[in-house]
Amino acid sequence: MENPDVLISGAGVAGPALAYWLSRYGFHVTVVERAPEPRPGGQAIDVRGPALDVAERMGILSEIRQLTTDLRGVTVVDASGKELYRSTERTFTGGQIDNPDVEVMRDDLCRIIHQATGDTVEYLFDDSLTSLTQDDRKVHVTFERGAPRTFDLVVGADGLHSTVRRLAFGPEADCLRHLGSYVGLFTAPNFLDLDYWQVYHQSGDLGGMVMSARNNTESRVLLALRQAEPLEYDHRDVGAQKRLLAERFADAGWELPHTLKYMWDAPDFHFDSMSQIHLDSWSRGRVVLLGDAGYCGSPMTGQGTSLALIGAYVLAGELRAARGDHRAAFAAYERELREYVARTQQLALDNVERLEEAMAATAQGEPETPPVVNDSDMAKFYEVVNSLALKTY
């Protein structure tokens, strides 16, 4: 086998999933992660379509199903808390309730995948790449903390603001497309006493949702703001991000200002833009990108986690099929997924257009319209989700 030593940057969903498959196929895998441990918190995420098959082939699907959110429905309220809409057929985070998809908390899924890699994968937490240099045979890497090392291949599975992508492909601004909004997420007590339920409020450019989590023992708060032009901020300055949300939501409607008191001490706070990554190629020599690092569609696709799992399966499978020949494997990886990724990214653009139309109607004096996805929209969504047939490697 060619190129047996692989470095993966990022220990979220995509990185450990790739590590699982590569280790199973006989590669020697190291995963480096900037955080000191697997990151806590995160939103409710969905495993659907071909990603369910990937989870089944990994032997983790039954465990994931045991940790489903089990949400029973959603309510939309106005600024005073008056109910505008209620559904027990679908939720905003999970879609149609009576479908085979699995909605689970992000940190639960990450833990399950991490454990599935067992002791066959080397993890380097609390570290990150600072440089990488390629030649015809190797990739030479330096780290913030650890000693320099050399690998046959390097994979960037380190998210929207990928360090690997910046080092190997160039500035983020060259490939990031802002979709016009930002989202903050954090854990709070179940202060609304929600019973497997989520409540949403939208007022102008501000929106927010509170949903129960972990068998109603806590809640997850999502605060979203429309922002046509990208904000100038340090995506690692958590304090500044919290202050930004506190300022914007101080006078928001419903319970949204009340959620801010839980935000300050939340250990799992996360804030980022709704953005996409578009690249002409997902590889540069011996460096390849996976998941959000290479083709982020944004949470507005409802497919980010599934793309991470599918991408990991396909990339590892093509490396196995090519016996480690990275040129052949990387080309095949893109051939398998390019069209599927493009169609998935278009889902987010369609959702942005739908939201803008609803907000424009409200601004012209029409009654406030809850952001409800109808049956036709869901049919189109699942047509895309299920349009990829997985190969067997």
Side-chain angles (χ1 to χ4, degrees):
M1 179 190 296
E2 297 181 39
N3 306 315
D5 296 313
V6 181
L7 173 67
I8 301 171
S9 177
V13 173
L18 177 64
Y20 169 87
W21 288 109
L22 289 179
S23 176
R24 179 168 163 176
Y25 296 153
F27 291 82
H28 308 137
V29 185
T30 299
V31 178
V32 61
E33 167 58 47
R34 178 182 299 277
E37 59 186 6
R39 296 177 187 268
Q43 70 273 37
I45 56 179
D46 301 281
V47 181
R48 51 171 54 110
L52 290 168
D53 293 333
V54 173
E56 179 68 41
R57 296 178 192 189
M58 293 176 71
I60 61 174
L61 183 57
S62 61
E63 187 176 359
I64 295 172
R65 288 195 183 280
Q66 291 174 12
L67 295 174
T68 181
T69 60
D70 286 327
L71 290 176
R72 298 183 297 107
V74 60
T75 299
V76 178
V77 298
D78 66 11
S80 68
K82 177 184 176 182
E83 184 175 291
L84 301 174
Y85 168 84
R86 167 181 288 256
S87 176
T88 56
E89 297 180 355
R90 57 172 60 99
T91 66
F92 290 150
T93 57
Q96 203 75 19
I97 291 176
D98 59 345
N99 63 39
D101 303 348
V102 181
E103 184 179 54
V104 64
M105 303 312 295
R106 180 188 181 278
D107 43 2
D108 285 338
L109 179 60
C110 290
R111 175 181 52 78
I112 291 170
I113 298 174
H114 182 262
Q115 290 174 348
T117 62
D119 57 3
T120 62
V121 174
E122 177 189 17
Y123 283 89
L124 305 175
F125 285 99
D126 199 23
D127 210 346
S128 181
L129 281 73
T130 55
S131 72
L132 57 83
T133 305
Q134 304 186 57
D135 56 36
D136 290 340
R137 299 182 60 187
K138 299 287 183 179
V139 185
H140 308 280
V141 176
T142 61
F143 298 94
E144 288 182 358
R145 299 178 183 275
R149 292 174 62 174
T150 299
F151 298 89
D152 296 308
L153 304 173
V154 172
V155 182
D158 43 357
L160 179 64
H161 304 295
S162 169
T163 296
V164 170
R165 189 184 64 234
R166 175 176 55 80
L167 293 173
F169 291 71
E172 181 176 286
D174 293 347
C175 59
L176 186 144
R177 298 185 188 177
H178 178 57
L179 298 186
S181 59
Y182 289 81
V183 173
L185 294 158
F186 53 92
T187 295
N190 188 5
F191 63 97
L192 295 178
D193 293 324
L194 298 177
D195 184 19
Y196 297 97
W197 204 264
Q198 56 186 211
V199 185
Y200 180 88
H201 169 67
Q202 178 77 38
S203 179
D205 289 337
L206 303 179
M209 182 177 66
V210 181
M211 60 172 283
S212 62
R214 304 206 187 286
N215 299 318
N216 297 332
T217 61
E218 63 186 39
S219 65
R220 297 289 167 94
V221 178
L222 180 151
L223 300 177
L225 59 95
R226 295 285 298 164
Q227 177 74 32
E229 296 299 321
L231 294 169
E232 293 291 335
Y233 74 100
D234 183 349
H235 68 265
R236 294 201 179 97
D237 188 343
V238 173
Q241 296 161 21
K242 289 181 177 180
R243 290 192 294 273
L244 187 155
L245 285 179
E247 179 181 345
R248 294 291 185 95
F249 283 86
D251 298 317
W254 184 53
E255 295 279 351
L256 299 185
H258 181 64
T259 67
L260 297 173
K261 77 174 187 177
Y262 303 112
M263 176 186 71
W264 295 109
D265 295 325
D268 58 353
F269 177 85
H270 176 75
F271 177 84
D272 214 333
S273 66
M274 290 286 190
S275 298
Q276 293 187 341
I277 296 297
H278 292 262
L279 291 164
D280 293 335
S281 173
W282 299 338
S283 63
R284 291 284 189 275
R286 293 177 171 273
V287 180
V288 65
L289 301 175
L290 171 65
D292 283 355
Y295 36 88
C296 179
S298 89
M300 298 186 78
T301 65
Q303 275 276 80
T305 300
S306 293
L307 272 183
L309 290 170
I310 294 166
Y313 173 80
V314 172
L315 177 55
E318 295 298 344
L319 279 166
R320 182 195 195 192
R323 297 189 58 79
D325 179 348
H326 67 283
R327 294 179 182 86
F330 293 170
Y333 164 58
E334 291 205 37
R335 285 197 302 271
E336 282 296 305
L337 290 183
R338 268 286 177 182
E339 182 179 354
Y340 189 67
V341 165
R343 296 186 69 189
T344 297
Q345 289 182 322
Q346 184 61 44
L347 291 173
L349 303 182
D350 293 343
N351 285 333
V352 170
E353 182 179 356
R354 189 180 300 114
L355 178 60
E356 289 176 346
E357 289 175 352
M359 294 181 67
T362 301
Q364 294 174 7
E366 297 182 20
E368 185 174 343
T369 304
V372 179
V373 179
N374 60 39
D375 291 340
S376 175
D377 295 328
M378 292 305 300
K380 293 177 182 177
F381 172 74
Y382 279 105
E383 179 184 349
V384 173
V385 168
N386 294 313
S387 63
L388 178 71
L390 291 178
K391 293 167 60 175
T392 298
Y393 294 99

